[in-house]
Amino acid sequence: MKLKNLALFTLLSVSMTINAQAPASVFITAGQSNAEGRASSLEKPKYLDKGYKHLKYAFVRSKQDGKFGKYQFGDTFAFCDVVNHFIDKAMKGDFYAIKCTYGGTAITPGQTEEGKPIWYADSAWLSKNKAHDGQNGGMSLTLALTEGFAKCAKNTLSHLKNGYDVKAIMWHQGESDRKKPEEYYKNFKEMITFMRNQIYAVTGKEKDKTLPFILGTVPHDSRQYSAGVEAAQLRVAKELPNVYVIRLENVPLRDDGIHFNGKGTDYVGRLMYNKLVELGLVKGKRVKVKK
């Protein structure tokens, strides 16, 4: 074997060994309806029709059994479906997506109809409430996410040969808190800190105390836009480490004036993915983004 070919073979062997030993990547998506997905599947990009090769998926708001399965599209799609597509293309092996979303939900209590769960993370309130799930009710979405993650870790992720690594939380929410934006800052900051601490309690990895948290703002054309909520989000991003804001002022919306349309969903997903690449959380190339 020639020296040049031998060097190339050695390099590829080392690269394959490193990739084979790398822990599985875990990505979390949370928030309200624009995170859950309200764009019609009839509008979804053609590339999503191919499905996913490496994605393992768990929607912990409706079912908390700690298991992952294949993702199947329904009547709508979300920005995380776009993100997962590009992660899928960049990955050499399986990755894990955990999602906990609920349309029309707030962080601050009293902002939605009675009985709808919320993202409030006040310690006294959490001690009196349980995690929400589709079968048993419960008022806490924050506990639904963190306890759902813990079950995924216990029943699936902890059994992976090479372990797992939580990469980031991707978040979109804020519309339902528009009536009391002055309370959003404290509650949002408290929620992020609680989520990180609970994930750290499971993984034991020091880095997860400041797990990357990527949030998208509410489009300015939204009927539920609040400058106060946006200001609170920007303030939290300045004060907490590893909180990153993606400005979504001009994302196109559906006719309801609230939810991302198909093109808007694709646009947000591409921005989210590029942020993951920029932060080194996905080893891939940035994708093109058209405004």
Side-chain angles (χ1 to χ4, degrees):
M1 185 180 292
K2 292 183 179 180
L3 184 61
K4 184 176 180 181
N5 290 338
L6 178 61
L8 179 60
F9 175 79
T10 303
L11 181 62
L12 288 173
S13 297
V14 171
S15 176
M16 290 174 65
T17 301
I18 292 173
N19 286 333
Q21 294 177 346
S25 295
V26 179
F27 301 89
I28 298 172
T29 300
Q32 60 180 110
S33 55
N34 273 318
E36 186 156 297
R38 291 295 185 268
S40 170
S41 285
L42 297 176
E43 295 183 276
K44 75 178 188 292
K46 293 297 183 183
Y47 60 75
L48 290 181
D49 292 338
K50 298 178 180 178
Y52 304 96
K53 183 178 180 181
H54 303 296
L55 171 65
K56 306 296 182 183
Y57 178 81
F59 186 59
V60 298
R61 193 258 289 178
S62 62
K63 193 174 184 180
Q64 297 182 346
D65 59 5
K67 297 179 181 179
F68 292 81
K70 292 184 178 180
Y71 178 75
Q72 294 183 334
F73 285 98
D75 295 333
T76 61
F77 76 105
F79 68 78
C80 59
D81 300 326
V82 176
V83 176
N84 289 337
H85 166 80
F86 291 113
I87 294 175
D88 198 73
K89 288 184 65 178
M91 288 289 181
K92 304 300 182 184
D94 292 344
F95 70 100
Y96 295 77
I98 296 173
K99 186 170 180 177
C100 184
T101 53
Y102 197 132
T105 50
I107 296 180
T108 301
Q111 304 311 296
T112 58
E113 59 266 35
E114 186 177 353
K116 176 166 274 193
I118 56 177
W119 295 96
Y120 196 42
D122 174 76
S123 58
W125 185 87
L126 287 175
S127 69
K128 300 176 183 177
N129 287 276
K130 64 179 183 179
H132 176 82
D133 70 58
Q135 296 177 332
N136 303 311
M139 285 297 293
S140 176
L141 289 167
T142 310
L143 290 178
L145 172 59
T146 55
E147 292 182 8
F149 167 76
K151 289 176 182 176
C152 286
K154 179 181 179 181
N155 295 342
T156 301
L157 300 174
S158 63
H159 300 287
L160 298 177
K161 182 178 179 180
N162 297 314
Y164 66 96
D165 184 29
V166 185
K167 295 297 186 179
I169 298 172
M170 291 173 282
W171 173 267
H172 192 279
Q173 187 273 341
E175 294 96 330
S176 293
D177 285 282
R178 66 193 181 279
K179 295 178 182 178
K180 283 193 175 181
E182 67 279 359
E183 296 188 25
Y184 194 85
Y185 161 75
K186 175 182 177 295
N187 294 333
F188 188 45
K189 190 174 185 179
E190 195 168 58
M191 185 204 74
I192 294 173
T193 301
F194 179 83
M195 287 180 177
R196 287 170 161 177
N197 286 340
Q198 293 302 111
I199 291 171
Y200 163 71
V202 173
T203 67
K205 296 180 180 180
E206 196 72 19
K207 73 172 186 64
D208 290 336
K209 290 181 178 179
T210 57
L211 183 69
F213 189 98
I214 305 169
L215 70 101
T217 58
V218 176
H220 288 186
D221 287 340
S222 171
R223 293 193 292 108
Q224 297 182 345
Y225 169 74
S226 165
V229 168
E230 183 178 284
Q233 292 174 332
L234 296 177
R235 182 181 172 189
V236 169
K238 287 183 178 180
E239 295 180 1
L240 287 181
N242 285 343
V243 175
Y244 305 94
V245 177
I246 296 179
R247 304 294 293 261
L248 302 178
E249 288 94 335
N250 300 313
V251 173
L253 303 173
R254 293 178 56 187
D255 291 341
D256 61 14
I258 299 173
H259 301 112
F260 307 151
N261 65 15
K263 289 183 178 180
T265 301
D266 177 64
Y267 174 73
V268 174
R270 287 170 180 266
L271 291 179
M272 285 280 185
Y273 173 77
N274 283 347
K275 179 57 71 172
L276 293 174
V277 172
E278 177 189 324
L279 295 174
L281 304 175
V282 175
K283 292 183 178 179
K285 295 182 179 180
R286 291 169 59 90
V287 296
K288 293 182 180 179
V289 180
K290 289 185 178 181
K291 289 190 176 181

